[in-house]
Amino acid sequence: MIQIKDWPFYLYREYLSSEEADSIFHRAKQEILWKTEEIKIFGKTYPQPRLISWIADQGIEYSYSGKKYHPNPWPDFLDDIRRNIHQDFQIKLNSVLCNFYRDGNDKMGWHSDNEKELGPEPNIASLSLGVTRDFKIKMKSSGQIETIELNHGDLLLMKGKAQENFSHALPPRKKVREARINFTFRQILSF
């Protein structure tokens, strides 16, 4: 385990073996119902620069960027990963936002996963598969930025005040031609 600075971010290199990560990557490409969603920026509507899928326990809904997402059911391989993360880190998880970055043009801008449904100190387990991409973390108070490479099979835990005090992004990388899949497991609370 590598703690990023003294921040509430914990990196587990090769959480999945190369063979496990390969298998899950290929199954995810084939079995998950991927779709393009639209977002509004300054009053204009654009397609999100990645494909997504929302998977959760029955009855769990999620809202972000002004949209409400109704869940797809758990594929067995993702449910197994969720159970393993719960067992390894004792964190409850009832949902996962799946992101498919088709190449280096797909990206995610600066944001915090701080929606009210996640509670004040959410634990988020982010599993990366496919091509290595830079992941940026920014301290909100100072603007200090740390860049880490997320590799095939790496798991990043964001805990405690991570979403309150930091934002994060996956910037575009024009030279990257391969795909990346990211699963951000989380616990949605009932309000």
Side-chain angles (χ1 to χ4, degrees), residues 122-157:
N123 293 313
I124 297 177
S126 178
L127 179 65
S128 295
L129 303 172
V131 70
T132 297
R133 292 282 297 267
D134 291 340
F135 184 81
K136 294 194 174 280
I137 303 167
K138 179 167 55 175
M139 182 182 282
K140 291 178 181 178
S141 62
S142 68
Q144 182 181 0
I145 295 174
E146 189 73 20
T147 302
I148 57 175
E149 287 186 341
L150 294 178
N151 303 314
H152 190 49
D154 287 353
L155 180 75
L156 179 68
L157 289 183

Side-chain angles (χ1 to χ4, degrees), residues 54 62 94-95 112-124 163 185-189 191:
W54 171 246
Y62 185 49
N94 62 9
S95 56
S112 297
D113 296 314
N114 56 1
E115 295 80 10
K116 69 175 186 170
E117 296 97 329
L118 297 174
E121 293 189 14
N123 293 313
I124 297 177
Q163 304 307 317
F185 294 89
R186 57 200 62 208
Q187 178 77 9
I188 300 294
L189 306 176
F191 287 96

Side-chain angles (χ1 to χ4, degrees), residues 23-41:
S23 173
I24 292 165
F25 181 80
H26 293 296
R27 288 191 69 184
K29 280 174 53 177
Q30 300 297 320
E31 297 178 30
I32 290 177
L33 178 62
W34 298 105
K35 59 185 179 175
T36 302
E37 293 287 347
E38 293 184 337
I39 55 172
K40 275 193 174 183
I41 301 173

Side-chain angles (χ1 to χ4, degrees), residues 43-59:
K44 293 188 176 185
T45 302
Y46 302 93
Q48 285 187 351
R50 67 191 180 288
L51 304 176
I52 67 165
S53 185
W54 171 246
I55 295 170
D57 293 349
Q58 188 172 2

Side-chain angles (χ1 to χ4, degrees), residues 14-25 84 129 152:
E14 298 176 356
Y15 179 73
L16 298 181
S17 71
S18 182
E19 295 79 19
E20 291 172 308
D22 286 348
S23 173
I24 292 165
F25 181 80
N84 290 339
L129 303 172
H152 190 49

